[in-house]
Amino acid sequence: MAKNSSFTCSACAATFTKWSGRCDNCGEWNTIVEDTGLSSGPAGKSLGARRGRAVALTDLSTEEPPPPRTTSKLAELDRVLGGGLVPASATLVGGDPGIGKSTLLLQAAAQFAQSGLKTIYVSGEEASAQVRMRAQRLGLASAPVQLAADTNLRDILTALEAEAPQLAIIDSIQTMWSDHVDSAPGSVSQVRAAAHELTTFAKRKGISVILVGHVTKEGQIAGPRVVEHMVDTVLYFEGERGHQFRILRAVKNRFGPADEIGVFEMTGAGLAEVQNPSALFLSERGTPSPGSAVFAGIEGTRPVLVEFQALVAPTPHSQPRRTVVGWDGGRLAMILAVLEARCGIPFAGLDVYLNVAGGLKISEPAADLAVAAALLSAREDAALPADTVVFGELSLSGALRPAPQTEIRLKEAQKLGFSKAIAPLGGKARTSAGMSLQQMGDLTTFVGDIFGAG
Ligand code: TYD
Ligand code: MG
């Protein structure tokens, strides 16, 4: 049963639905007490009996000017943020330990500071000397960023209040602890409390905050996940340890499109922007071999070409293996089932490995046809034509559904030296000179046309 409890600040009498260590209204610490008047009142006594202040109402037609944004010189970061950093916004940057979050944010801090934002970088994980050494290695030692190495939230908020920066970076939220919460730093309640206090403080003072959050092994960010709903923007920094590519992906953005990605490369001198990700993802591609298919995809607003690689081999096990990296395992099972049921091409008794080259994770349904093409090519041991890209969503009936933004995909493919695309029927498809488009209605046609079987 939901309890009708509320909380009141004993200093300013503001009411809240949740307890917090500090009153959002007057800023006093430890003044919020639970108000049990509602729940313990006589049965049937409604909320209306205790009057609050009426909230202000507006209509939808009032024009809001777009938020002013500060851009850094990192265009990949600016785009993922939706066009730059919004004042008084709260952003969470999540990712595996060691993936490069601190490096990215130190570079971002330096860029924003040089663009004129007063910037404070708080490290709870490294001593200031370590951060300075990293900054020197990155060639950023002269950037006007102020550093702090501390984990006590109360002290940090006091410093932020006194310094009044425009941007505060907290690295990481798991190391922060609030003395109002009894549990250990890094525990869910500490992370939640620290994030809540930081974000509400920042909103009230007009400071933009960027919180770093580590993802645990299982992907259940003991922290970031519970923080996601408190912030305006959630970015994930992804990549394979062995690869130098890093993808910054917006999974939530109140100020811009989600699904946008920024691509970086980890170098000896920090993260370098990758302006043409397609070229990078295809750079390791040698002569076309069986099992390889190039997918013309869209990530956010940008076209990205990636290579799907498949390996199909007879299995010694009773239960064949299906191993996927960079793509959804359930979707792979679906495509295998469609190939078997609609095209009569069985994969029983065969191990199947599928990999997206370069460490990118693809979630676009339009990659279905590229996956099917890679699987078929591997199974038939026949390479696809080297000059061809494929895209299109597959339905359970084996029909191909048109993918959005066909033209953008074709343009990108042409830019990277491809001359032919295989795509579903329909969709707005005008090709430019030098690029041919072959459209098909279903997977059976594709199998017959490309592999001469059906
Ligand atoms: P870091 O930013 O500390 O990761 P996180 O904050 O996400 O835990 O990055 C750590 C890795 O990055 C480390 O293994 C070394 C590598 N690195 C470089 O390759 N080049 C560099 O210039 C820097 C600063 C780090
Ligand atoms: Mg770090």
Side-chain angles (χ1 to χ4, degrees):
M1 278 280 292
K3 209 174 90 183
N4 263 343
S5 63
S6 77
F7 298 86
T8 308
C9 172
S10 50
C12 71
T15 57
F16 302 94
T17 53
K18 273 200 303 226
W19 186 87
S20 76
R22 183 178 179 144
C23 174
D24 289 346
N25 191 50
C26 65
E28 283 301 314
W29 284 96
N30 226 357
T31 53
I32 296 186
V33 290
E34 185 164 9
D35 185 329
T36 50
L38 288 175
S39 51
S40 60
K45 194 173 170 192
S46 72
L47 266 175
R50 241 190 97 225
R51 288 188 174 252
R53 264 177 298 141
V55 295
L57 304 173
T58 59
D59 56 35
L60 294 172
S61 64
T62 315
E63 290 224 354
E64 283 298 327
R69 293 175 184 267
T70 307
T71 52
S72 63
K73 284 202 190 69
L74 296 167
E76 295 292 304
L77 172 67
D78 291 342
R79 195 186 44 255
V80 174
L81 286 170
L85 187 71
V86 175
S89 61
T91 304
L92 172 71
V93 177
D96 292 333
I99 203 73
K101 300 181 295 298
S102 301
T103 309
L104 175 72
L105 289 175
L106 191 59
Q107 289 181 253
Q111 293 294 348
F112 282 122
Q114 276 157 356
S115 305
L117 289 190
K118 181 167 177 181
T119 303
I120 294 184
Y121 184 102
V122 182
S123 177
E125 306 201 327
E126 294 165 302
S128 293
Q130 276 175 295
V131 180
R132 270 197 299 275
M133 262 163 55
R134 186 195 297 251
Q136 266 155 22
R137 220 149 61 72
L138 298 172
L140 303 170
S142 61
V145 177
Q146 288 177 290
L147 288 183
D150 212 307
T151 57
N152 183 325
L153 197 60
R154 186 200 295 255
D155 296 347
I156 290 168
L157 290 181
T158 307
L160 292 182
E161 178 139 35
E163 293 288 332
Q166 284 145 310
L167 170 62
I169 294 174
I170 309 293
D171 187 2
S172 65
I173 190 69
Q174 273 102 349
T175 54
M176 296 296 137
W177 62 278
S178 163
D179 46 19
H180 291 289
V181 180
D182 278 336
S183 47
S187 65
V188 171
S189 47
Q190 273 290 2
V191 167
R192 194 190 285 133
H196 178 71
E197 288 189 31
L198 276 162
T199 50
T200 50
F201 171 84
K203 293 264 168 225
R204 196 155 36 82
K205 299 284 175 192
I207 301 172
S208 300
V209 282
I210 301 180
L211 310 175
V212 173
H214 293 297
V215 184
T216 58
K217 267 256 169 58
E218 300 76 35
Q220 284 161 28
I221 331 163
R225 278 286 138 82
V226 303
V227 174
E228 279 182 359
H229 69 278
M230 294 183 208
V231 295
D232 302 307
T233 303
V234 178
L235 311 179
Y236 274 87
F237 207 35
E238 318 167 335
E240 300 290 322
R241 251 341 143 72
H243 279 105
Q244 71 273 40
F245 318 132
R246 297 284 182 271
I247 316 290
L248 186 65
R249 187 186 294 274
V251 297
K252 160 180 170 179
N253 196 345
R254 287 189 184 140
F255 306 117
D259 290 334
E260 197 68 76
I261 64 165
V263 184
F264 296 88
E265 189 175 357
M266 185 59 97
T267 70
L271 289 156
E273 292 184 89
V274 174
Q275 254 118 27
N276 190 342
S278 301
L280 182 77
F281 291 130
L282 295 181
S283 63
E284 289 172 3
R285 193 165 164 259
T287 48
S289 53
S292 155
V294 177
F295 167 53
I298 302 275
E299 290 289 330
T301 54
R302 206 163 43 162
V304 175
L305 301 191
V306 283
E307 182 191 7
F308 275 91
Q309 301 166 336
L311 177 68
V312 174
T315 182
H317 310 290
S318 57
Q319 190 80 19
R321 289 182 75 110
R322 268 84 179 101
T323 304
V324 200
V325 178
W327 168 256
D328 181 51
R331 199 100 191 159
L332 172 67
M334 184 201 101
I335 291 170
L336 291 171
V338 172
L339 280 168
E340 177 148 5
R342 307 296 174 198
C343 310
I345 301 173
F347 281 83
L350 296 169
D351 284 337
V352 173
Y353 302 88
L354 184 78
N355 178 32
V356 179
L360 189 66
K361 286 196 186 81
I362 300 285
S363 55
E364 217 196 335
D368 290 352
L369 186 57
V371 172
L375 293 171
L376 284 164
S377 163
R379 191 181 183 283
E380 305 295 316
D381 200 25
L384 289 159
D387 61 346
T388 303
V389 297
V390 285
F391 57 91
E393 185 180 344
L394 203 55
S395 74
L396 288 177
S397 67
L400 289 170
R401 293 202 198 106
Q405 296 175 291
T406 299
E407 259 180 82
I408 299 178
R409 298 175 203 259
L410 295 178
K411 271 212 188 98
E412 179 78 357
Q414 188 172 21
K415 209 169 85 190
L416 281 130
F418 292 86
S419 55
K420 188 178 165 190
I422 301 176
L425 289 172
K428 269 193 248 118
R430 260 190 305 122
T431 49
S432 38
M435 188 77 197
S436 77
L437 176 67
Q438 189 178 0
Q439 292 181 291
M440 304 179 175
D442 54 55
L443 191 59
T444 317
T445 315
F446 178 81
V447 174
D449 264 34
I450 306 301
F451 297 98

